Amino acid sequence: MGAPALAQSAAPFRIGMTTDMSSAYSDITGKGSAIAVQMAIDDFGGSVLGRKIELLVADHQMKPSVGGPLITQWFDRDGVSAVVGLAGSSVALAANAIAKDRPNRTVLHTIPLSSDLSGKACLSNAIHWAPDSFALASAVTRNVTEQGGKTWFIMVQDTAAGPPGKAAATAGITAAGGRVLGDVRVPFNAGDVSSFVLQAQASRAQVVGVGFSGNDLVNIVKASHQFGLQKSGTRIAALVFFSTDLLAIGQENAQGMTFVMPAYNDMNDQARAWAQRFEKIAGKAPSWGHMADYEGTLHYLRAVKEAGTDDAQKVVPMMRKMPIDIFSVQDAQIREDNKLIRPMYLTRVKAPSASRYPGDYYEIIGKVSAKDAYAPMSTACPLVKSN
């Protein structure tokens, strides 16, 4: 019995982090995600089950054809216990397809937004930690509509996350008595977005809802200023927004933008201290996506320790059972569909003159309970028991 235990202790406990390192989402995730996951490993203590934790990092290039073989190799050849990150819904769904045949390995979706990850593609060994498109879009569109923005033009990305994002945005708008005048699907990493902004302008909508983040959002906001949308009274509501987007857009151009987020760097003293640690390593402030990478990894490692194994069929139930005790996660739970639900903060970007100190970008204008922010569990998820 002693020899096998010794052999096991000599093998590293491997976590794989794969995400977009080189294209439109590299600012909101990228190298920062690797830093955040490593911070969680270090804060946990650097070892688990008597094994040193080793982090493997790779760029999946936003392509299932790249990410799929990589994840397969990690699980089958490299002894990776869990894969974290997975920006881009198409890659995330490919990861679940691979993990379905490897039920003892864990997938932790800390970045992708597709509601299918807790719907028809849900798995017993995959946790959807990131907010989904419904939680990010429906609350903000409902609030802005209630505040007088009754007509909308919706932009979503031409990816797997696009249709659910449009549906979520429309649900919030119609619930508050508004209407959608038009919509468009914007190619990923589109570059020149002028034609899409001109379509929004031609619709004469009071609000343009942009359902994607990263370089494409930055380009949309810059082009909207170039064509004078804001000067004519059109508002921009971000259906997904990260602090890294704000830094790229500039606070002057982003002021007044409304969005929701699950956590933010200035939410309490511990969050501020964590963000400062991150910035010293990364050279820039973290996004809430980076915070999610940290949260999910730390909670996963605590569950592995408590379960005494890396077997996902024991670890994932432990993740649901254990309280989530992390400074940036409040009143949260992992549901039966393996979806983390948590309150969302309705937020507006301050004018530069209203900022009291560097990094004071946001005005929290409301808090949406987890119950109100997230859609009910989908019966399309095979984990959900029918009543």
Short mmCIF file of all heavy atoms in Angstrom, two decimals, residues 305-367:
data_model
loop_
_atom_site.label_atom_id
_atom_site.label_comp_id
_atom_site.label_asym_id
_atom_site.label_seq_id
_atom_site.Cartn_x
_atom_site.Cartn_y
_atom_site.Cartn_z
N LYS A 305 -9.85 18.85 -2.03
CA LYS A 305 -9.29 18.54 -0.71
C LYS A 305 -10.34 17.88 0.18
O LYS A 305 -10.07 16.86 0.85
CB LYS A 305 -8.78 19.81 -0.04
CG LYS A 305 -8.19 19.59 1.34
CD LYS A 305 -7.72 20.90 1.96
CE LYS A 305 -7.19 20.68 3.38
NZ LYS A 305 -6.73 21.95 3.99
N GLU A 306 -11.54 18.44 0.17
CA GLU A 306 -12.61 17.91 1.04
C GLU A 306 -13.05 16.52 0.58
O GLU A 306 -13.33 15.64 1.40
CB GLU A 306 -13.80 18.88 1.03
CG GLU A 306 -14.88 18.57 2.03
CD GLU A 306 -14.44 18.76 3.48
OE1 GLU A 306 -13.47 19.53 3.72
OE2 GLU A 306 -15.07 18.15 4.37
N ALA A 307 -13.11 16.32 -0.75
CA ALA A 307 -13.55 15.02 -1.29
C ALA A 307 -12.46 13.96 -1.18
O ALA A 307 -12.75 12.76 -1.20
CB ALA A 307 -13.97 15.18 -2.75
N GLY A 308 -11.21 14.41 -1.10
CA GLY A 308 -10.09 13.47 -1.00
C GLY A 308 -9.75 12.78 -2.31
O GLY A 308 -9.09 11.74 -2.33
N THR A 309 -10.19 13.37 -3.43
CA THR A 309 -9.98 12.77 -4.75
C THR A 309 -10.17 13.84 -5.80
O THR A 309 -10.79 14.88 -5.54
CB THR A 309 -10.97 11.62 -5.00
OG1 THR A 309 -10.77 11.09 -6.31
CG2 THR A 309 -12.40 12.10 -4.88
N ASP A 310 -9.65 13.57 -7.03
CA ASP A 310 -9.93 14.47 -8.14
C ASP A 310 -11.03 13.92 -9.04
O ASP A 310 -11.29 14.47 -10.11
CB ASP A 310 -8.66 14.75 -8.95
CG ASP A 310 -8.15 13.52 -9.70
OD1 ASP A 310 -8.63 12.40 -9.42
OD2 ASP A 310 -7.26 13.67 -10.55
N ASP A 311 -11.68 12.85 -8.63
CA ASP A 311 -12.77 12.25 -9.40
C ASP A 311 -13.93 13.25 -9.45
O ASP A 311 -14.54 13.58 -8.43
CB ASP A 311 -13.23 10.96 -8.73
CG ASP A 311 -14.33 10.24 -9.49
OD1 ASP A 311 -14.97 10.86 -10.37
OD2 ASP A 311 -14.57 9.05 -9.20
N ALA A 312 -14.26 13.73 -10.65
CA ALA A 312 -15.29 14.75 -10.80
C ALA A 312 -16.64 14.32 -10.26
O ALA A 312 -17.43 15.17 -9.82
CB ALA A 312 -15.42 15.13 -12.28
N GLN A 313 -16.92 13.01 -10.26
CA GLN A 313 -18.22 12.55 -9.76
C GLN A 313 -18.35 12.72 -8.25
O GLN A 313 -19.45 12.63 -7.70
CB GLN A 313 -18.42 11.09 -10.17
CG GLN A 313 -18.48 10.89 -11.68
CD GLN A 313 -19.53 11.77 -12.35
OE1 GLN A 313 -20.67 11.84 -11.90
NE2 GLN A 313 -19.13 12.45 -13.42
N LYS A 314 -17.23 12.97 -7.59
CA LYS A 314 -17.25 13.30 -6.16
C LYS A 314 -16.93 14.77 -5.92
O LYS A 314 -17.44 15.39 -4.99
CB LYS A 314 -16.26 12.41 -5.41
CG LYS A 314 -16.65 10.94 -5.45
CD LYS A 314 -15.67 10.08 -4.67
CE LYS A 314 -16.09 8.60 -4.72
NZ LYS A 314 -15.15 7.72 -4.00
N VAL A 315 -16.08 15.34 -6.77
CA VAL A 315 -15.65 16.73 -6.57
C VAL A 315 -16.78 17.71 -6.90
O VAL A 315 -17.04 18.65 -6.13
CB VAL A 315 -14.41 17.05 -7.43
CG1 VAL A 315 -14.08 18.54 -7.36
CG2 VAL A 315 -13.22 16.23 -6.97
N VAL A 316 -17.47 17.51 -8.02
CA VAL A 316 -18.51 18.45 -8.42
C VAL A 316 -19.67 18.48 -7.41
O VAL A 316 -20.12 19.56 -7.02
CB VAL A 316 -18.99 18.17 -9.85
CG1 VAL A 316 -20.24 18.99 -10.18
CG2 VAL A 316 -17.88 18.50 -10.85
N PRO A 317 -20.17 17.32 -6.94
CA PRO A 317 -21.17 17.39 -5.87
C PRO A 317 -20.65 18.10 -4.62
O PRO A 317 -21.42 18.79 -3.95
CB PRO A 317 -21.47 15.91 -5.59
CG PRO A 317 -21.16 15.21 -6.86
CD PRO A 317 -19.98 15.94 -7.43
N MET A 318 -19.37 17.94 -4.32
CA MET A 318 -18.80 18.65 -3.17
C MET A 318 -18.78 20.15 -3.42
O MET A 318 -19.02 20.94 -2.50
CB MET A 318 -17.38 18.14 -2.90
CG MET A 318 -16.74 18.71 -1.65
SD MET A 318 -17.65 18.28 -0.13
CE MET A 318 -17.31 16.51 -0.04
N MET A 319 -18.52 20.57 -4.66
CA MET A 319 -18.56 22.00 -4.99
C MET A 319 -19.96 22.57 -4.78
O MET A 319 -20.12 23.71 -4.34
CB MET A 319 -18.10 22.23 -6.43
CG MET A 319 -16.62 21.97 -6.67
SD MET A 319 -16.12 22.25 -8.40
CE MET A 319 -16.16 24.04 -8.49
N ARG A 320 -20.98 21.77 -5.11
CA ARG A 320 -22.36 22.22 -4.87
C ARG A 320 -22.67 22.29 -3.39
O ARG A 320 -23.38 23.18 -2.93
CB ARG A 320 -23.35 21.28 -5.57
CG ARG A 320 -23.42 21.42 -7.07
CD ARG A 320 -24.73 20.85 -7.61
NE ARG A 320 -24.92 19.48 -7.19
CZ ARG A 320 -24.53 18.41 -7.89
NH1 ARG A 320 -23.90 18.58 -9.05
NH2 ARG A 320 -24.75 17.19 -7.46
N LYS A 321 -22.15 21.33 -2.64
CA LYS A 321 -22.49 21.20 -1.22
C LYS A 321 -21.78 22.24 -0.35
O LYS A 321 -22.38 22.79 0.58
CB LYS A 321 -22.11 19.79 -0.74
CG LYS A 321 -22.35 19.53 0.73
CD LYS A 321 -21.91 18.11 1.09
CE LYS A 321 -22.06 17.83 2.58
NZ LYS A 321 -21.58 16.48 2.93
N MET A 322 -20.51 22.50 -0.65
CA MET A 322 -19.71 23.38 0.20
C MET A 322 -20.15 24.83 0.08
O MET A 322 -20.50 25.29 -1.01
CB MET A 322 -18.23 23.29 -0.20
CG MET A 322 -17.55 21.98 0.14
SD MET A 322 -15.85 21.94 -0.53
CE MET A 322 -15.12 23.31 0.37
N PRO A 323 -20.12 25.60 1.17
CA PRO A 323 -20.35 27.04 1.05
C PRO A 323 -19.24 27.68 0.23
O PRO A 323 -18.08 27.25 0.30
CB PRO A 323 -20.34 27.53 2.51
CG PRO A 323 -19.59 26.48 3.26
CD PRO A 323 -19.86 25.19 2.56
N ILE A 324 -19.58 28.68 -0.56
CA ILE A 324 -18.59 29.37 -1.38
C ILE A 324 -18.07 30.56 -0.59
O ILE A 324 -18.72 31.60 -0.51
CB ILE A 324 -19.19 29.80 -2.73
CG1 ILE A 324 -19.76 28.58 -3.45
CG2 ILE A 324 -18.13 30.48 -3.60
CD1 ILE A 324 -20.56 28.92 -4.70
N ASP A 325 -16.92 30.38 0.03
CA ASP A 325 -16.37 31.37 0.95
C ASP A 325 -15.21 32.11 0.28
O ASP A 325 -14.03 31.82 0.51
CB ASP A 325 -15.91 30.67 2.23
CG ASP A 325 -15.37 31.64 3.27
OD1 ASP A 325 -15.69 32.84 3.16
OD2 ASP A 325 -14.62 31.21 4.17
N ILE A 326 -15.55 33.05 -0.59
CA ILE A 326 -14.57 33.84 -1.31
C ILE A 326 -15.03 35.30 -1.27
O ILE A 326 -16.23 35.58 -1.41
CB ILE A 326 -14.43 33.36 -2.77
CG1 ILE A 326 -14.01 31.87 -2.80
CG2 ILE A 326 -13.40 34.20 -3.55
CD1 ILE A 326 -14.06 31.23 -4.16
N PHE A 327 -14.10 36.23 -1.09
CA PHE A 327 -14.42 37.63 -0.83
C PHE A 327 -15.32 38.26 -1.90
O PHE A 327 -16.08 39.18 -1.60
CB PHE A 327 -13.13 38.45 -0.71
CG PHE A 327 -12.25 38.41 -1.93
CD1 PHE A 327 -12.47 39.28 -2.99
CD2 PHE A 327 -11.21 37.52 -2.02
CE1 PHE A 327 -11.67 39.25 -4.12
CE2 PHE A 327 -10.39 37.47 -3.14
CZ PHE A 327 -10.62 38.34 -4.19
N SER A 328 -15.24 37.78 -3.13
CA SER A 328 -15.99 38.41 -4.22
C SER A 328 -17.29 37.70 -4.55
O SER A 328 -18.02 38.14 -5.45
CB SER A 328 -15.11 38.45 -5.48
OG SER A 328 -14.59 37.15 -5.76
N VAL A 329 -17.60 36.62 -3.86
CA VAL A 329 -18.82 35.84 -4.14
C VAL A 329 -19.76 35.96 -2.95
O VAL A 329 -19.42 35.54 -1.84
CB VAL A 329 -18.49 34.36 -4.40
CG1 VAL A 329 -19.74 33.62 -4.85
CG2 VAL A 329 -17.40 34.23 -5.45
N GLN A 330 -20.93 36.51 -3.18
CA GLN A 330 -21.89 36.73 -2.10
C GLN A 330 -23.22 36.06 -2.43
O GLN A 330 -23.69 36.11 -3.57
CB GLN A 330 -22.10 38.24 -1.88
CG GLN A 330 -20.82 38.98 -1.51
CD GLN A 330 -21.01 40.48 -1.42
OE1 GLN A 330 -22.05 41.01 -1.82
NE2 GLN A 330 -20.01 41.17 -0.91
N ASP A 331 -23.80 35.43 -1.42
CA ASP A 331 -25.15 34.85 -1.55
C ASP A 331 -25.28 33.98 -2.80
O ASP A 331 -26.25 34.08 -3.56
CB ASP A 331 -26.21 35.96 -1.59
CG ASP A 331 -26.14 36.87 -0.38
OD1 ASP A 331 -25.89 36.35 0.72
OD2 ASP A 331 -26.33 38.08 -0.54
N ALA A 332 -24.29 33.11 -3.01
CA ALA A 332 -24.24 32.31 -4.23
C ALA A 332 -24.49 30.84 -3.94
O ALA A 332 -24.27 30.37 -2.82
CB ALA A 332 -22.89 32.47 -4.92
N GLN A 333 -24.92 30.13 -4.96
CA GLN A 333 -25.06 28.68 -4.85
C GLN A 333 -24.90 28.06 -6.23
O GLN A 333 -25.09 28.72 -7.25
CB GLN A 333 -26.43 28.30 -4.28
CG GLN A 333 -27.59 28.60 -5.23
CD GLN A 333 -28.91 28.08 -4.72
OE1 GLN A 333 -29.67 28.81 -4.12
NE2 GLN A 333 -29.20 26.81 -4.95
N ILE A 334 -24.49 26.80 -6.25
CA ILE A 334 -24.42 26.05 -7.49
C ILE A 334 -25.66 25.18 -7.56
O ILE A 334 -25.89 24.33 -6.70
CB ILE A 334 -23.14 25.20 -7.57
CG1 ILE A 334 -21.91 26.11 -7.51
CG2 ILE A 334 -23.12 24.38 -8.86
CD1 ILE A 334 -20.60 25.36 -7.40
N ARG A 335 -26.49 25.41 -8.56
CA ARG A 335 -27.78 24.75 -8.65
C ARG A 335 -27.63 23.30 -9.13
O ARG A 335 -26.55 22.83 -9.48
CB ARG A 335 -28.69 25.50 -9.64
CG ARG A 335 -29.01 26.91 -9.26
CD ARG A 335 -30.08 27.51 -10.15
NE ARG A 335 -29.81 27.42 -11.59
CZ ARG A 335 -30.40 28.16 -12.52
NH1 ARG A 335 -31.32 29.05 -12.17
NH2 ARG A 335 -30.09 28.01 -13.79
N GLU A 336 -28.76 22.65 -9.19
CA GLU A 336 -28.83 21.26 -9.65
C GLU A 336 -28.32 21.10 -11.08
O GLU A 336 -27.80 20.05 -11.47
CB GLU A 336 -30.29 20.80 -9.57
CG GLU A 336 -30.56 19.37 -9.95
CD GLU A 336 -32.05 19.05 -9.90
OE1 GLU A 336 -32.84 19.85 -9.35
OE2 GLU A 336 -32.42 18.00 -10.45
N ASP A 337 -28.44 22.17 -11.89
CA ASP A 337 -27.95 22.13 -13.28
C ASP A 337 -26.48 22.49 -13.39
O ASP A 337 -25.97 22.71 -14.49
CB ASP A 337 -28.80 23.04 -14.17
CG ASP A 337 -28.81 24.50 -13.70
OD1 ASP A 337 -28.24 24.79 -12.62
OD2 ASP A 337 -29.40 25.35 -14.40
N ASN A 338 -25.78 22.55 -12.24
CA ASN A 338 -24.36 22.89 -12.16
C ASN A 338 -24.07 24.31 -12.63
O ASN A 338 -22.98 24.61 -13.13
CB ASN A 338 -23.48 21.88 -12.90
CG ASN A 338 -23.29 20.61 -12.11
OD1 ASN A 338 -23.56 20.56 -10.92
ND2 ASN A 338 -22.83 19.56 -12.77
N LYS A 339 -25.04 25.20 -12.45
CA LYS A 339 -24.89 26.62 -12.77
C LYS A 339 -24.72 27.41 -11.49
O LYS A 339 -25.54 27.29 -10.57
CB LYS A 339 -26.13 27.11 -13.53
CG LYS A 339 -26.16 28.61 -13.77
CD LYS A 339 -25.14 29.00 -14.79
CE LYS A 339 -24.95 30.50 -14.84
NZ LYS A 339 -23.68 30.87 -15.45
N LEU A 340 -23.64 28.19 -11.41
CA LEU A 340 -23.47 29.10 -10.27
C LEU A 340 -24.39 30.29 -10.47
O LEU A 340 -24.36 30.94 -11.52
CB LEU A 340 -22.02 29.59 -10.19
CG LEU A 340 -21.76 30.64 -9.10
CD1 LEU A 340 -21.77 30.00 -7.72
CD2 LEU A 340 -20.45 31.38 -9.35
N ILE A 341 -25.22 30.57 -9.47
CA ILE A 341 -26.05 31.77 -9.52
C ILE A 341 -25.66 32.66 -8.35
O ILE A 341 -25.35 32.19 -7.26
CB ILE A 341 -27.55 31.45 -9.53
CG1 ILE A 341 -27.99 30.76 -8.24
CG2 ILE A 341 -27.91 30.59 -10.73
CD1 ILE A 341 -29.50 30.68 -8.08
N ARG A 342 -25.68 33.96 -8.60
CA ARG A 342 -25.21 34.94 -7.62
C ARG A 342 -25.87 36.28 -7.92
O ARG A 342 -26.32 36.50 -9.04
CB ARG A 342 -23.69 35.06 -7.72
CG ARG A 342 -23.23 35.51 -9.08
CD ARG A 342 -21.79 35.22 -9.39
NE ARG A 342 -20.86 35.95 -8.58
CZ ARG A 342 -19.53 35.85 -8.69
NH1 ARG A 342 -19.00 35.03 -9.61
NH2 ARG A 342 -18.73 36.54 -7.92
N PRO A 343 -25.91 37.19 -6.97
CA PRO A 343 -26.45 38.53 -7.29
C PRO A 343 -25.61 39.21 -8.36
O PRO A 343 -24.41 38.96 -8.50
CB PRO A 343 -26.34 39.27 -5.95
CG PRO A 343 -26.25 38.21 -4.92
CD PRO A 343 -25.53 37.07 -5.56
N MET A 344 -26.24 40.08 -9.11
CA MET A 344 -25.57 40.87 -10.14
C MET A 344 -25.70 42.35 -9.78
O MET A 344 -26.74 42.78 -9.26
CB MET A 344 -26.18 40.59 -11.51
CG MET A 344 -26.12 39.12 -11.93
SD MET A 344 -24.46 38.52 -12.27
CE MET A 344 -24.18 39.28 -13.87
N TYR A 345 -24.67 43.11 -10.08
CA TYR A 345 -24.63 44.53 -9.74
C TYR A 345 -24.91 45.37 -10.98
O TYR A 345 -24.17 45.32 -11.96
CB TYR A 345 -23.28 44.89 -9.14
CG TYR A 345 -23.01 44.19 -7.83
CD1 TYR A 345 -22.35 42.97 -7.80
CD2 TYR A 345 -23.45 44.73 -6.62
CE1 TYR A 345 -22.12 42.30 -6.60
CE2 TYR A 345 -23.23 44.07 -5.42
CZ TYR A 345 -22.58 42.86 -5.42
OH TYR A 345 -22.35 42.20 -4.23
N LEU A 346 -25.99 46.12 -10.93
CA LEU A 346 -26.34 47.04 -12.02
C LEU A 346 -25.44 48.26 -11.90
O LEU A 346 -25.39 48.91 -10.84
CB LEU A 346 -27.81 47.42 -11.92
CG LEU A 346 -28.45 48.15 -13.09
CD1 LEU A 346 -28.43 47.27 -14.33
CD2 LEU A 346 -29.88 48.53 -12.74
N THR A 347 -24.73 48.58 -12.97
CA THR A 347 -23.61 49.50 -12.90
C THR A 347 -23.65 50.52 -14.03
O THR A 347 -24.08 50.21 -15.14
CB THR A 347 -22.29 48.70 -13.00
OG1 THR A 347 -22.33 47.62 -12.06
CG2 THR A 347 -21.07 49.56 -12.70
N ARG A 348 -23.16 51.73 -13.73
CA ARG A 348 -23.02 52.76 -14.75
C ARG A 348 -21.60 53.33 -14.66
O ARG A 348 -21.07 53.53 -13.56
CB ARG A 348 -24.06 53.85 -14.55
CG ARG A 348 -24.05 54.95 -15.61
CD ARG A 348 -25.34 55.76 -15.60
NE ARG A 348 -25.67 56.24 -14.27
CZ ARG A 348 -26.90 56.17 -13.72
NH1 ARG A 348 -27.88 55.63 -14.39
NH2 ARG A 348 -27.11 56.63 -12.52
N VAL A 349 -21.00 53.60 -15.81
CA VAL A 349 -19.66 54.18 -15.83
C VAL A 349 -19.76 55.66 -15.46
O VAL A 349 -20.55 56.41 -16.05
CB VAL A 349 -19.00 54.02 -17.21
CG1 VAL A 349 -17.62 54.70 -17.21
CG2 VAL A 349 -18.87 52.54 -17.57
N LYS A 350 -18.96 56.06 -14.48
CA LYS A 350 -18.95 57.46 -14.04
C LYS A 350 -18.30 58.37 -15.08
O LYS A 350 -17.45 57.94 -15.87
CB LYS A 350 -18.14 57.59 -12.74
CG LYS A 350 -18.74 56.96 -11.52
CD LYS A 350 -17.84 57.19 -10.32
CE LYS A 350 -18.45 56.65 -9.03
NZ LYS A 350 -17.57 56.91 -7.86
N ALA A 351 -18.69 59.63 -15.03
CA ALA A 351 -17.93 60.64 -15.77
C ALA A 351 -16.57 60.79 -15.10
O ALA A 351 -16.46 60.63 -13.87
CB ALA A 351 -18.67 61.97 -15.75
N PRO A 352 -15.52 61.09 -15.86
CA PRO A 352 -14.20 61.24 -15.24
C PRO A 352 -14.19 62.22 -14.07
O PRO A 352 -13.48 62.00 -13.08
CB PRO A 352 -13.33 61.73 -16.40
CG PRO A 352 -13.99 61.18 -17.62
CD PRO A 352 -15.46 61.22 -17.32
N SER A 353 -14.99 63.26 -14.15
CA SER A 353 -15.01 64.27 -13.08
C SER A 353 -15.60 63.73 -11.78
O SER A 353 -15.37 64.30 -10.70
CB SER A 353 -15.82 65.49 -13.54
OG SER A 353 -17.15 65.12 -13.85
N ALA A 354 -16.35 62.63 -11.87
CA ALA A 354 -16.97 62.05 -10.67
C ALA A 354 -16.09 61.02 -9.99
O ALA A 354 -16.40 60.57 -8.88
CB ALA A 354 -18.31 61.41 -11.04
N SER A 355 -14.99 60.62 -10.63
CA SER A 355 -14.08 59.63 -10.04
C SER A 355 -13.27 60.28 -8.92
O SER A 355 -12.67 61.33 -9.10
CB SER A 355 -13.14 59.06 -11.11
OG SER A 355 -13.87 58.33 -12.07
N ARG A 356 -13.24 59.60 -7.77
CA ARG A 356 -12.56 60.17 -6.60
C ARG A 356 -11.10 59.77 -6.51
O ARG A 356 -10.31 60.41 -5.83
CB ARG A 356 -13.28 59.71 -5.32
CG ARG A 356 -14.74 60.18 -5.22
CD ARG A 356 -15.50 59.38 -4.19
NE ARG A 356 -15.61 57.97 -4.60
CZ ARG A 356 -16.00 56.99 -3.80
NH1 ARG A 356 -16.30 57.24 -2.54
NH2 ARG A 356 -16.08 55.76 -4.26
N TYR A 357 -10.72 58.69 -7.18
CA TYR A 357 -9.36 58.19 -7.13
C TYR A 357 -9.14 57.28 -8.33
O TYR A 357 -10.11 56.85 -8.97
CB TYR A 357 -9.09 57.44 -5.82
CG TYR A 357 -10.16 56.44 -5.46
CD1 TYR A 357 -10.17 55.16 -6.02
CD2 TYR A 357 -11.19 56.77 -4.57
CE1 TYR A 357 -11.16 54.24 -5.71
CE2 TYR A 357 -12.18 55.85 -4.25
CZ TYR A 357 -12.16 54.60 -4.82
OH TYR A 357 -13.15 53.70 -4.52
N PRO A 358 -7.90 56.96 -8.69
CA PRO A 358 -7.65 56.08 -9.84
C PRO A 358 -8.35 54.74 -9.66
O PRO A 358 -8.29 54.12 -8.61
CB PRO A 358 -6.12 55.91 -9.81
CG PRO A 358 -5.62 57.15 -9.14
CD PRO A 358 -6.65 57.49 -8.11
N GLY A 359 -9.05 54.32 -10.69
CA GLY A 359 -9.78 53.05 -10.63
C GLY A 359 -11.22 53.19 -10.15
O GLY A 359 -11.97 52.22 -10.16
N ASP A 360 -11.63 54.41 -9.74
CA ASP A 360 -13.00 54.64 -9.29
C ASP A 360 -13.86 54.96 -10.51
O ASP A 360 -14.17 56.11 -10.79
CB ASP A 360 -13.03 55.79 -8.29
CG ASP A 360 -14.44 56.10 -7.78
OD1 ASP A 360 -15.26 55.17 -7.73
OD2 ASP A 360 -14.70 57.27 -7.45
N TYR A 361 -14.23 53.92 -11.24
CA TYR A 361 -14.91 54.09 -12.51
C TYR A 361 -16.42 53.91 -12.44
O TYR A 361 -17.14 54.41 -13.30
CB TYR A 361 -14.39 53.05 -13.52
CG TYR A 361 -12.92 53.08 -13.78
CD1 TYR A 361 -12.14 51.91 -13.67
CD2 TYR A 361 -12.27 54.26 -14.15
CE1 TYR A 361 -10.78 51.93 -13.94
CE2 TYR A 361 -10.92 54.28 -14.41
CZ TYR A 361 -10.17 53.11 -14.30
OH TYR A 361 -8.83 53.12 -14.55
N TYR A 362 -16.90 53.18 -11.44
CA TYR A 362 -18.27 52.67 -11.51
C TYR A 362 -19.17 53.25 -10.43
O TYR A 362 -18.76 53.44 -9.27
CB TYR A 362 -18.27 51.15 -11.35
CG TYR A 362 -17.44 50.41 -12.37
CD1 TYR A 362 -16.56 49.40 -11.99
CD2 TYR A 362 -17.53 50.73 -13.72
CE1 TYR A 362 -15.80 48.72 -12.92
CE2 TYR A 362 -16.77 50.05 -14.66
CZ TYR A 362 -15.90 49.05 -14.25
OH TYR A 362 -15.15 48.38 -15.18
N GLU A 363 -20.40 53.48 -10.82
CA GLU A 363 -21.47 53.81 -9.88
C GLU A 363 -22.41 52.60 -9.83
O GLU A 363 -22.96 52.20 -10.86
CB GLU A 363 -22.22 55.04 -10.36
CG GLU A 363 -23.41 55.41 -9.50
CD GLU A 363 -24.25 56.52 -10.11
OE1 GLU A 363 -23.93 56.97 -11.25
OE2 GLU A 363 -25.23 56.93 -9.47
N ILE A 364 -22.54 51.99 -8.66
CA ILE A 364 -23.45 50.86 -8.51
C ILE A 364 -24.85 51.42 -8.30
O ILE A 364 -25.12 52.08 -7.29
CB ILE A 364 -23.03 49.95 -7.34
CG1 ILE A 364 -21.59 49.48 -7.52
CG2 ILE A 364 -23.97 48.76 -7.22
CD1 ILE A 364 -21.34 48.70 -8.80
N ILE A 365 -25.73 51.19 -9.26
CA ILE A 365 -27.05 51.81 -9.21
C ILE A 365 -28.15 50.83 -8.80
O ILE A 365 -29.31 51.20 -8.69
CB ILE A 365 -27.40 52.47 -10.56
CG1 ILE A 365 -27.31 51.46 -11.71
CG2 ILE A 365 -26.48 53.64 -10.83
CD1 ILE A 365 -27.70 52.04 -13.07
N GLY A 366 -27.76 49.58 -8.56
CA GLY A 366 -28.75 48.60 -8.11
C GLY A 366 -28.13 47.24 -7.95
O GLY A 366 -27.04 46.96 -8.48
N LYS A 367 -28.78 46.38 -7.20
CA LYS A 367 -28.34 45.00 -7.02
C LYS A 367 -29.50 44.09 -7.37
O LYS A 367 -30.61 44.25 -6.85
CB LYS A 367 -27.89 44.77 -5.57
CG LYS A 367 -27.27 43.40 -5.32
CD LYS A 367 -26.76 43.31 -3.88
CE LYS A 367 -26.14 41.97 -3.57
NZ LYS A 367 -25.66 41.88 -2.17
#
